[in-house]
Amino acid sequence: MNDQQLLRYSRHILLDQIGIEGQQKLLAARALVIGAGGLGSPAAMYLASAGVGQITLVDNDTVDLTNLQRQIAHTTERVGQPKAESARQTLGQINPEISVIALNERADEARLHALVAEADVVLDCTDNFATRHAVNRACVALGKPLVSGAVIRFDGQISVFDPRSGTQPCYSCLFPQDQKFEDVACSTMGVFAPLVGVVGAMQAAEALKLLMDVGTSLAGRLLMLDGLYMEWTSIGVARNGDCPVCGGCAA
């Protein structure tokens, strides 16, 4: 690291668990953020400020006025612009030293597989089960850790699905892909703006921990937040040996 980097990341370097070695891991890391909306905005912004060397943003939507209540990577002036590009501009303003790749597309199964293959950690910041399951399948197949978050109304949840050990559950163990779950949209149900910031920031925190191999991740646990009463609940998530996605992995 040069002098400017040592200064920029000095508050990380001061932490015994991170230090120069941990910060260098971040600078060399590649993160894939799928979704540049309510969760993806704070998640990507914290990854950028922390110095993750390459951040790839994937989103096929454009900035709408209704997004600005919670999607903090976007501005009024960027209404109508692709969200991925708008977020790329914001991350560049936060940290011009990192590489940010903006993909204005809806990635299909094959494309997700290619993108996940290039990443060290994947953050699922989407809002529908079909995409979440597709991302999960790619992460399990390629052995990449997945940080998953969701928020609706006053409720939020976050977990980590890490297939590298061969013993942890995947997203499909928690929400079986052969079961029907109703997607609920912010446009019809509403969402309390700060909650996406809370969960998105926590997704970034879990991703950074995974990249630096510090602390204990949320793998095997689902953390749920009741925003009305500001109460956290943590429940264990067991691996399903019959899961069609990860059940065949070696334990």
Side-chain angles (χ1 to χ4, degrees):
M1 285 185 285
N2 57 40
D3 289 345
Q4 284 297 312
Q5 289 173 318
L6 289 170
L7 184 61
R8 177 185 285 269
Y9 306 118
S10 60
R11 300 307 188 267
H12 263 178
I13 295 170
L14 286 170
L15 297 172
D16 292 338
Q17 296 89 338
I18 298 180
I20 290 179
E21 182 180 357
Q23 188 60 49
Q24 287 176 326
K25 289 180 180 179
L26 294 183
L27 292 170
R30 299 164 298 175
L32 173 62
V33 181
I34 305 174
L39 295 171
S41 290
M45 290 165 74
Y46 270 111
L47 293 179
S49 67
V52 173
Q54 178 179 300
I55 301 172
T56 300
L57 303 168
V58 184
D59 198 305
N60 71 327
D61 200 3
T62 57
V63 180
D64 185 83
L65 187 62
T66 61
N67 301 147
L68 302 183
Q69 164 252 12
R70 66 200 176 281
Q71 301 184 15
I72 59 175
H74 313 303
T75 64
T76 304
E77 292 74 18
R78 297 182 198 155
V79 168
Q81 291 187 19
K83 286 185 181 179
E85 174 58 27
S86 172
R88 186 196 66 78
Q89 294 178 50
T90 297
L91 302 195
Q93 292 170 339
I94 292 172
N95 191 345
E97 296 182 351
I98 65 170
S99 171
V100 182
I101 301 170
L103 301 177
N104 180 31
E105 60 184 85
R106 187 178 185 87
D108 60 15
E109 198 97 12
R111 181 62 166 147
L112 280 173
H113 198 277
L115 292 171
V116 170
E118 298 175 352
D120 298 309
V121 68
V122 179
L123 289 80
D124 180 358
C125 302
T126 63
D127 60 359
N128 66 88
F129 283 106
T131 303
R132 290 170 186 161
H133 280 295
V135 173
N136 177 66
R137 288 192 294 269
C139 287
V140 171
L142 295 163
K144 300 300 178 76
L146 169 63
V147 185
S148 177
V151 172
I152 195 70
R153 302 187 187 94
F154 287 90
D155 299 312
Q157 65 183 40
I158 178 175
S159 189
V160 169
F161 304 99
D162 193 344
R164 294 175 297 179
S165 70
T167 62
Q168 296 292 346
C170 75
Y171 183 82
S172 187
C173 292
L174 179 61
F175 299 105
Q177 61 179 4
D178 59 353
Q179 291 187 14
K180 296 297 182 182
F181 293 96
E182 182 182 357
D183 286 317
V184 288
C186 298
S187 59
T188 57
M189 296 302 218
V191 61
F192 186 45
L195 285 193
V196 294
V198 172
V199 174
M202 292 182 69
Q203 285 184 265
E206 288 297 295
L208 295 173
K209 287 162 55 185
L210 289 165
L211 291 172
M212 295 184 291
D213 193 22
V214 301
T216 301
S217 80
L218 279 171
R221 290 181 291 154
L222 176 67
L223 196 59
M224 299 180 293
L225 172 61
D226 180 337
L228 276 177
Y229 294 93
M230 212 48 76
E231 292 180 347
W232 289 99
T233 303
S234 178
I235 63 173
V237 180
R239 183 162 175 254
N240 178 7
D242 296 324
C243 175
V245 178
C246 72
C249 298

